[in-house]
Structure formats: structure tokens, C-alpha cells
Amino acid sequence: GGNLTKPTRGGDKRGAKKSQFKFFYSATQWQPGQLQREFKEGRWVAAACSKELILYPNSYWEKPLWKIVMEVMGGKFSLMCRELCDDL
């Protein structure tokens, strides 16, 4: 739960700004072991990103963030992204 019009309780008292919050909605659930299998099969790619990168507003990016991250990772990841997305 939570209130989308206000940050978490006490957020305003600590001087938090609206730009410091990003809300995610929706959910995906996996059966036990399913996500691990999908990683092994190459269906997912783990990438280390700074919190600043993740918290930029979506409107900041000219394309979906996952595509940008794959390009920056380079090599096989950039090629994989290009194969999956012909708009790059």
C-alpha cells in the first residue's frame, strides 16, 4: 500500500523531493526455481546500475532504459539487443 500523492511517512520531514521517488507498479511472480532456470537459459541479463540512473524520469530517455543499458554493456549484449529490437 501507500499514498501516491505523498512520499513515505516522514519523507517530507527529511527534506525528500518528489524527484527522488519513483513508483513501480505491476508484479511478476515465478514458480520456485523458475527465475534461476530462465537466467541459465539466457532469458534475463543482470546489470549493475547506479540508483541515479534508475531514478531518472522515464521521459528523460529517448528509448527504454533497458535498451540503453544493453548498449552501454556492449559486446554480445549490444548485439543481442539489436537482434531483438530493430528500432535501435
Side-chain angles (χ1 to χ4, degrees), residues 22 24 47-58 60-61 65-66 68-70 72:
K22 188 167 189 174
F24 298 90
C49 296
S50 69
K51 66 180 178 183
E52 290 81 14
L53 179 71
I54 299 299
L55 293 176
Y56 271 110
N58 289 341
Y60 179 83
W61 307 108
L65 181 57
W66 72 268
I68 295 168
V69 171
M70 294 284 278
V72 170

Side-chain angles (χ1 to χ4, degrees), residues 33-49:
Q34 181 182 354
L35 183 57
Q36 291 83 354
R37 281 192 306 278
E38 290 180 10
F39 261 103
K40 286 179 184 175
E41 293 169 357
R43 295 184 189 190
W44 295 94
V45 175
C49 296

Side-chain angles (χ1 to χ4, degrees), residues 42 45 66 70 75-85:
V45 175
W66 72 268
M70 294 284 278
K76 69 178 184 178
F77 302 107
S78 182
L79 292 172
M80 200 178 353
C81 187
R82 287 197 175 102
E83 287 175 7
L84 295 171
C85 312

Side-chain angles (χ1 to χ4, degrees), residues 8-41:
T8 59
R9 261 182 280 152
D12 293 331
K13 294 176 187 170
R14 291 182 288 220
K17 300 174 187 170
K18 287 182 183 180
S19 63
Q20 293 175 301
F21 290 87
K22 188 167 189 174
F23 291 94
F24 298 90
Y25 62 94
S26 191
T28 301
Q29 294 181 345
W30 290 271
Q31 297 297 317
Q34 181 182 354
L35 183 57
Q36 291 83 354
R37 281 192 306 278
E38 290 180 10
F39 261 103
K40 286 179 184 175
E41 293 169 357

